[in-house]
Amino acid sequence: MTELPGRVQAQEMAAKLSMAGLATVVENTSRLLHASAHSEGLYPAQWVALRYFAEASEAQCTASALARYQDLAIASVARTVVTLVDKGLLNKLPNPRDARADLLELTEKGRELLKRDPRLVLERALAEIPEEDVEAYARTATKLLQRLLELRQSKADT
């Protein structure tokens, strides 16, 4: 297996268990994942939207529900939705519960594209890690995400 630039260095830093070293590993992992999500002519946020509409219940398949899910302003999510509709990956349907909020569904082209989702590489990599390590990582990553969201909220409140 070919070593990625900085991989050995990041592993050495993590082995020392310094907070700066661990933060570097998390940051480099995040950067690598974000960069890999620029594929098939889509941006990372567009991939998130496709996954969301593939997995959400029908009642949650609206742009406003996606905005809440992503904790983003509706305007940026609406642009993402328009782009995905223009690319033929989403269809807009009338919403029987709210005429102001179209329902959005994946097209066949959108479902086919998700078979080449760049996140699948991450899923395969995680599947190769021993189960007990994945479980520990899942607990830790969830706690980290929750804490980062709390810190972001407290910053916004000040």
Side-chain angles (χ1 to χ4, degrees), residues 88-107:
L89 302 172
L90 287 178
N91 280 328
K92 287 184 177 184
L93 304 170
N95 186 341
R97 289 176 295 283
D98 185 352
R100 298 168 296 157
D102 291 327
L103 290 177
L104 299 158
E105 71 173 4
L106 287 177
T107 63

Side-chain angles (χ1 to χ4, degrees), residues 17-126:
L17 288 180
S18 74
M19 292 304 114
L22 190 53
T24 298
V25 170
V26 171
E27 181 180 44
N28 286 341
T29 301
S30 178
R31 186 177 40 77
L32 179 64
L33 293 172
H34 186 76
S36 71
H38 289 273
S39 66
E40 302 284 340
L42 297 183
Y43 291 101
Q46 294 166 339
W47 281 108
V48 170
L50 284 181
R51 287 183 210 115
Y52 175 84
F53 291 119
E55 298 168 4
S57 69
E58 181 182 306
Q60 294 300 307
C61 284
T62 64
S64 59
L66 174 61
R68 284 189 300 277
Y69 171 77
Q70 291 186 292
D71 193 24
L72 293 173
I74 188 66
S76 63
V77 171
R79 284 190 298 275
T80 296
V81 166
V82 166
T83 300
L84 294 174
V85 168
D86 289 348
K87 287 179 177 276
L89 302 172
L90 287 178
N91 280 328
K92 287 184 177 184
L93 304 170
N95 186 341
R97 289 176 295 283
D98 185 352
R100 298 168 296 157
D102 291 327
L103 290 177
L104 299 158
E105 71 173 4
L106 287 177
T107 63
E108 185 59 35
K109 184 178 175 183
R111 281 189 285 282
E112 285 299 313
L113 187 60
L114 278 173
K115 292 178 182 176
R116 297 187 307 275
D117 185 343
R119 188 177 76 178
L120 295 172
V121 173
L122 173 60
E123 292 175 19
R124 284 193 297 274
L126 287 167

